[in-house]
Amino acid sequence: MEARLLPFITCPYHPTATLEVAQIDQMTDSTIITGHLRCSFCDVVYPIINGILDVIGKRQPASIAQIVNDLPPAAWAYERTWRPLSLSLLTGEYFPLNRELHLITGLAGAERGGLMIDVGCSNGLYARALEQVRRQSNASGFVVGVDLSMAMLDEAQRRARRDGLSISFVRASAQSLPFADATVDVLVMGGTLNEIGDIPAALTEWRRLLRSGGRGVMMSLVRATTRPGQILQQLLATGGLQFPSLAELNQYFAAAGLQLRAQWQYGVVVFSVLQ
């Protein structure tokens, strides 16, 4: 984890309490590889292992989807199998990853830099794209990938290191993000909203974190209108996935205090720009 990111990191239970360094066991340049951070308010200690800050610890998965995401084989296979084909299958048109990533980074304004967070990052696909654009633009700032699954984060870390990218990874809940109020310039999320459980709480965190002029870009899935799509979504819902209608999705945004600036729909896939 990038040491210069520490002023922005807070206790997930006390968002006004910045985490302090309790111990650093291994550090390379400005990256903390192994150590511990402590909440100055509640004195809880959070470990950094292999460069990943863990503010969750032991937990019970809340759904079948979360159980699957915790499995190392699922994390290994995610970007090698499903993810490159997913939007082409879901939209019904040719939608390769480079098209998706260009859309996300462009809408996010990643060339401006700042603090950019990929929430529910899985293998860190969006995080890597944001960091690549930030570097190419010579913009200052940090990119952080957040996920509930340590298996996904381990794979994300491997991919970032393979590509020589400086990305910090944090194991945290989307409903309790460990960052200070109004400090984030860009928030992105790719499909995770459908499987995180408490959607209103997660979106409230987006409103809390975004600074004035900050931007949120989200790719999510909405309720299918075709009978085969509805049947498939009903089956997936038994594993904990949710598929709101487009109107319900926008109601969630509004209830959280997020302003919808632009939106595009391709089949069941929706891209939303929020402030």
Side-chain angles (χ1 to χ4, degrees):
M1 193 184 83
E2 174 62 59
R4 292 175 297 170
L5 188 63
L6 290 176
F8 302 99
I9 303 292
T10 63
C11 177
Y13 305 107
H14 305 99
T16 60
T18 303
L19 295 186
E20 302 172 344
V21 174
Q23 180 179 338
I24 295 179
D25 299 313
Q26 183 182 356
M27 191 167 181
T28 302
D29 296 326
S30 61
T31 301
I32 303 173
I33 306 300
T34 308
H36 293 82
L37 304 182
R38 176 185 289 111
C39 174
S40 58
F41 185 86
C42 64
D43 212 36
V44 172
V45 175
Y46 301 102
I48 300 173
I49 302 171
N50 190 30
I52 300 171
L53 172 63
D54 185 353
V55 300
I56 294 180
K58 293 182 179 180
R59 68 171 180 90
Q60 291 295 323
S63 67
I64 294 174
Q66 291 183 9
I67 292 172
V68 172
N69 287 340
D70 279 343
L71 299 174
W76 181 89
Y78 181 68
E79 269 192 47
R80 291 176 171 90
T81 56
W82 161 249
R83 197 59 179 84
L85 303 173
S86 59
L87 289 203
S88 293
L89 294 172
L90 293 167
T91 62
E93 62 180 88
Y94 183 57
F95 214 119
L97 278 181
N98 60 355
R99 178 184 174 187
E100 178 186 354
L101 296 178
H102 181 74
L103 184 60
I104 291 294
T105 56
L107 293 174
E111 72 282 355
R112 301 175 302 169
L115 178 54
M116 300 186 281
I117 303 177
D118 180 2
V119 182
C121 68
S122 299
N123 285 178
L125 180 65
Y126 283 4
R128 297 197 308 276
L130 291 171
E131 175 62 7
Q132 286 165 349
V133 171
R134 185 197 68 78
R135 279 194 174 190
Q136 291 164 3
S137 305
N138 291 316
S140 61
F142 309 97
V143 174
V144 183
V146 177
D147 205 274
L148 198 62
S149 165
M150 186 58 78
M152 288 289 185
L153 290 170
D154 283 338
E155 180 68 21
Q157 181 81 283
R158 280 191 290 270
R159 287 173 174 269
R161 288 174 174 171
R162 175 201 65 189
D163 295 345
L165 299 174
S166 178
I167 301 173
S168 296
F169 292 100
V170 179
R171 183 172 178 248
S173 165
Q175 292 83 7
S176 299
L177 294 168
F179 301 93
D181 294 1
T183 56
V184 179
D185 297 278
V186 170
L187 287 165
V188 297
M189 180 181 284
T192 305
L193 193 73
N194 299 93
E195 58 185 73
I196 59 175
D198 191 343
I199 291 176
L203 294 177
T204 297
E205 281 291 85
W206 276 42
R207 178 61 272 166
R208 179 180 71 82
L209 293 182
L210 281 174
R211 68 166 72 246
S212 177
R215 195 176 301 177
V217 180
M218 181 179 297
M219 183 276 283
S220 57
L221 308 181
V222 294
R223 189 174 305 149
T225 56
T226 65
R227 187 56 184 157
Q230 291 170 346
I231 292 172
L232 177 59
Q233 288 185 347
Q234 288 169 2
L235 290 173
L236 293 173
T238 63
L241 275 68
Q242 303 175 73
F243 300 96
S245 67
L246 182 61
E248 290 169 340
L249 177 65
N250 291 337
Q251 287 171 3
Y252 281 134
F253 294 152
L258 293 166
Q259 296 182 343
L260 181 63
R261 294 302 189 186
Q263 194 169 64
W264 297 266
Q265 182 172 4
Y266 305 86
V268 297
V269 177
V270 174
F271 292 89
S272 305
V273 180
L274 305 160
Q275 285 186 317

